[in-house]
Amino acid sequence: MNRRRSDRKPMNTASRQPGTGWAAHLRHSGFCIAALALLVSAPSLAQQPAYGVDLRKDSLLKRQERNRTIPSNEFGDQHGLESGSLTFNVVDVDIPGNSKLSVEFRRILVATDPVKQFNSFSYGYPQTRLGDWAIGLPKIEATYSATAGWITSDTAQPTKNCSITQAWLMEPPPGEPYPDAFRAHMFWNPPTVHYPDGSSGLLVYNSAGMPLPSSGGPYRWVTTSHDAASCITTLKNRNTSAPAGSPERIFGQGEGYLVVRPDGTKYWFDWMALESSLPVSNSALNYCAIGPFGCEIQLMEVSMQLATLALYPTRIEDRFGNWVTYTYSNKTNELVKLDRIESNDGRLITLGYSNGYLSSVNANGRAWSYTYNSANVTANLISGQPLAEVRNPDGTNWRYWGTSHPPPPNSIQRPCENLAWTQTVNPDATTVADTDFGGYTVDSPSGARAVFRVDQVILGRSAVTDGCYAPGAVMPGSNPTTVPRRFLGGYRRVLTGKKVTGPALTPMIWKYSYQSNIGFAPMANGTTRTKVLGPDGALDTYTFGNTYTLDEGLLLAHTRAASPQAQPLQSETHTYATGTAISGFPKLIGFHPDARDRVAATFLRPKLSTTKVLQATRFRWAVDTTCSGRCLDTLGRPTRVTRSSAPNP
């Protein structure tokens, strides 16, 4: 890490207001596809106070296990009902074959993920080989200090990131040269496996004796999706001749993972790539700053660079021996560059690039082409080269324009001193009669057009414990900013509107609203409610649990009414194994230092019952209670259920 004194700035300890709009002055710093700083320059915002960013809180509602989406439609859009996320997941090329293994080219865009802070004055978004989109591949992703790479706290063998010998060693050491300012929880996003369909699983150290595959191993890692992972000693793109201390050498020094899915499919994750490199700031004490009276203690702002790294698969093989291989050509410190997808039954996709960007995808003598807008300046944003068009072999095309990544949402200043923000009532888009709005725009090959509106709301959780703390350094006698020790809530970007128009189409509009109960314990049994108003006037209301360590992320109820004023035509409620143990559930699948903050990814909480009411009849599905508790196996799957129906009283 750079230790020059010029990296350390005295802080203005006065309270500063969050940026609520884009500044008029725009700064452009350029874009290099292969550089570590992969950010497009962006407009400056008012500075944020440097009291540190706890990434457990920054990313909680962004995690895949909290972003289960409704099925995609013509535009590829997927809506996370609980979190409000908007994700586009589009398959351009899909070649059928003799096995269920996919040979496809897929691309993904998370349109509610805002631009990131580059420095005190500018914001941007990490670019990829697809501009503002990303190639949709399986990957294991994690964030570490850019000067250390994917390491553990095992000082004897820090680069053995997979084959650790003790569970507590998984967490990296504090960031240097300011370990007190950058504890692991301030910057570490732990390894999580992501699949192209949007499913994912946090890698949890296997210390709970979960069932494992009978062959292979040793399996040191498991997920709540019943994946098991063993270790691959060396990464395929490791370069031992790279200069010592260079990013290429640092990022290539670790291990890979061999993940086995419940159906027996194996994934070799052993090709490293850099997803992004971003700074994070905090405060520290300068014990001998030169002041008017000589050497004195001063508060200074310090920073460290974070590297989000990803391991991509080089081979996927099913239990029958069928395989698909992936060929890449990037270094460990470069964006992933996929060149070829090939299967044992002869299916083949090749990719071409121009100036570092994907320009073509080829399969069976046909070609798909990709073009990008040049860097452009608007009143609100300086962007890089966003994807503008995908042209299909038959001459039809996808076209995209507008802001694909919104500005950062507001921040809550001194969130522990005045909890009035927890009672904020979010605007309800389902009650507003607007029929025209702007946003990210997609033109499909059929000629239909969709516009997606993204706004900000406050979401959070209830029954949060452990109070507040000051994450940065504290001057003697000062009044430091404190923040919740566990994620309580905050502003986030969400989908609030969608409009579809086209030739011979009656305009169709969907509207969405969100509201959370937010509070510290002893407040309990809070929920997050999402309302969806469809083009036909029908209103769907989804209720999710948000009680800390209990039912976070679980769908508790769903009702559907013909209109917002009408009584529900149908309803559905669910119960789960949460709270008091029932037949060994909820079950912690292994060790993770953030298990309490990641209940959805570390505990098995099987569904116990579903009750549906439709047309005056009640239908019920329930796990039987005749098996010394509930009839569940060790993985939480029901072994005996009862289905019944009766008139609804």
Side-chain angles (χ1 to χ4, degrees), residues 297-340:
I297 299 175
Q298 288 186 2
L299 200 63
M300 63 182 179
E301 182 175 316
V302 296
S303 63
M304 67 179 291
Q305 199 73 10
L306 304 182
T308 296
L309 303 169
L311 287 166
Y312 287 89
T314 57
R315 182 182 180 91
I316 301 176
E317 183 179 305
D318 69 16
R319 61 192 179 97
F320 304 110
N322 299 300
W323 51 260
V324 174
T325 59
Y326 299 82
T327 303
Y328 311 87
S329 58
N330 61 282
K331 298 177 181 179
T332 60
N333 63 320
E334 295 177 340
L335 297 171
V336 65
K337 187 179 181 185
L338 175 67
D339 297 317
R340 185 181 182 96

Side-chain angles (χ1 to χ4, degrees), residues 206 209-215 217-222 226-229 260 635:
N206 182 34
M210 295 296 292
L212 298 170
S214 56
S215 61
Y219 295 100
R220 302 179 185 272
W221 306 90
V222 293
H226 312 312
D227 297 337
V260 182
L635 295 177

Side-chain angles (χ1 to χ4, degrees), residues 59-227:
S59 62
L60 180 74
L61 288 176
K62 299 176 185 176
R63 296 175 189 142
Q64 291 292 338
E65 70 269 10
R66 302 297 296 275
N67 281 282
R68 296 183 179 90
T69 55
I70 59 175
S72 61
N73 52 39
E74 179 184 358
F75 300 93
D77 53 300
Q78 299 176 331
H79 177 214
L81 288 170
E82 181 202 7
S83 66
S85 66
L86 171 62
T87 301
F88 293 90
N89 195 322
V90 179
V91 177
D92 290 329
V93 186
D94 186 5
I95 306 175
N98 296 329
S99 70
K100 292 184 178 180
L101 296 180
S102 296
V103 174
E104 66 178 20
F105 178 78
R106 183 189 298 257
R107 50 192 171 86
I108 294 173
L109 168 68
V110 183
T112 44
D113 198 7
V115 295
K116 312 300 180 185
Q117 185 169 6
F118 179 49
N119 54 42
S120 298
F121 302 99
S122 61
Y123 286 69
Y125 198 83
Q127 293 284 283
T128 76
R129 305 283 180 184
L130 260 172
D132 48 351
W133 288 62
I135 298 175
L137 290 169
K139 63 182 177 180
I140 297 178
E141 188 177 78
T143 301
Y144 292 86
S145 165
T147 59
W150 198 313
I151 64 171
T152 72
S153 291
D154 188 345
T155 56
Q157 47 180 17
T159 61
K160 298 294 185 181
N161 50 283
C162 177
S163 57
I164 60 174
T165 56
Q166 300 291 330
W168 60 271
L169 293 171
M170 72 168 68
E171 199 171 51
E176 294 290 348
Y178 306 107
D180 291 336
F182 298 111
R183 297 295 181 185
H185 74 266
M186 299 295 296
F187 64 88
W188 181 52
N189 266 335
T192 301
V193 57
H194 300 271
Y195 298 104
D197 63 359
S199 62
S200 70
L202 181 71
L203 293 182
V204 178
Y205 192 76
N206 182 34
S207 60
M210 295 296 292
L212 298 170
S214 56
S215 61
Y219 295 100
R220 302 179 185 272
W221 306 90
V222 293
T223 73
T224 53
S225 300
H226 312 312
D227 297 337

Side-chain angles (χ1 to χ4, degrees), residues 434-447:
D434 56 336
T435 58
D436 191 23
F437 47 80
Y440 190 60
T441 302
V442 180
D443 284 351
S444 76
S446 69

Side-chain angles (χ1 to χ4, degrees), residues 59 119 131 181 213 231 241 243 275 289 395 422 499 507 528 532 549 591 603:
S59 62
N119 54 42
C231 303
S241 63
E275 301 288 278
T422 64
K499 182 176 182 179
T528 292
V532 181
T549 74
F591 174 83
F603 282 81

Side-chain angles (χ1 to χ4, degrees), residues 435-463:
T435 58
D436 191 23
F437 47 80
Y440 190 60
T441 302
V442 180
D443 284 351
S444 76
S446 69
R449 170 175 294 179
V451 179
F452 299 87
R453 180 180 61 192
V454 171
D455 292 312
Q456 69 174 11
V457 299
I458 290 181
L459 294 176
R461 56 185 178 178
S462 61

Side-chain angles (χ1 to χ4, degrees), residues 529-610:
R529 285 88 59 201
T530 299
K531 294 194 295 184
V532 181
L533 183 65
D536 58 355
L539 181 70
D540 288 275
T541 303
Y542 300 86
T543 302
F544 295 88
N546 77 352
T547 303
Y548 175 60
T549 74
L550 187 67
D551 59 7
E552 293 180 68
L554 295 176
L555 178 62
L556 304 181
H558 169 218
T559 62
R560 182 172 177 81
S563 70
Q565 297 77 30
Q567 292 297 311
L569 296 172
Q570 62 185 68
S571 65
E572 184 176 301
T573 57
H574 311 277
T575 64
Y576 304 85
T578 59
T580 304
I582 300 174
S583 300
F585 295 94
K587 178 188 289 185
L588 181 64
I589 63 171
F591 174 83
H592 199 281
D594 290 340
R596 294 176 64 195
D597 267 320
R598 301 173 183 262
V599 170
T602 56
F603 282 81
L604 295 179
R605 302 174 295 170
K607 183 185 292 186
L608 299 180
S609 70
T610 294

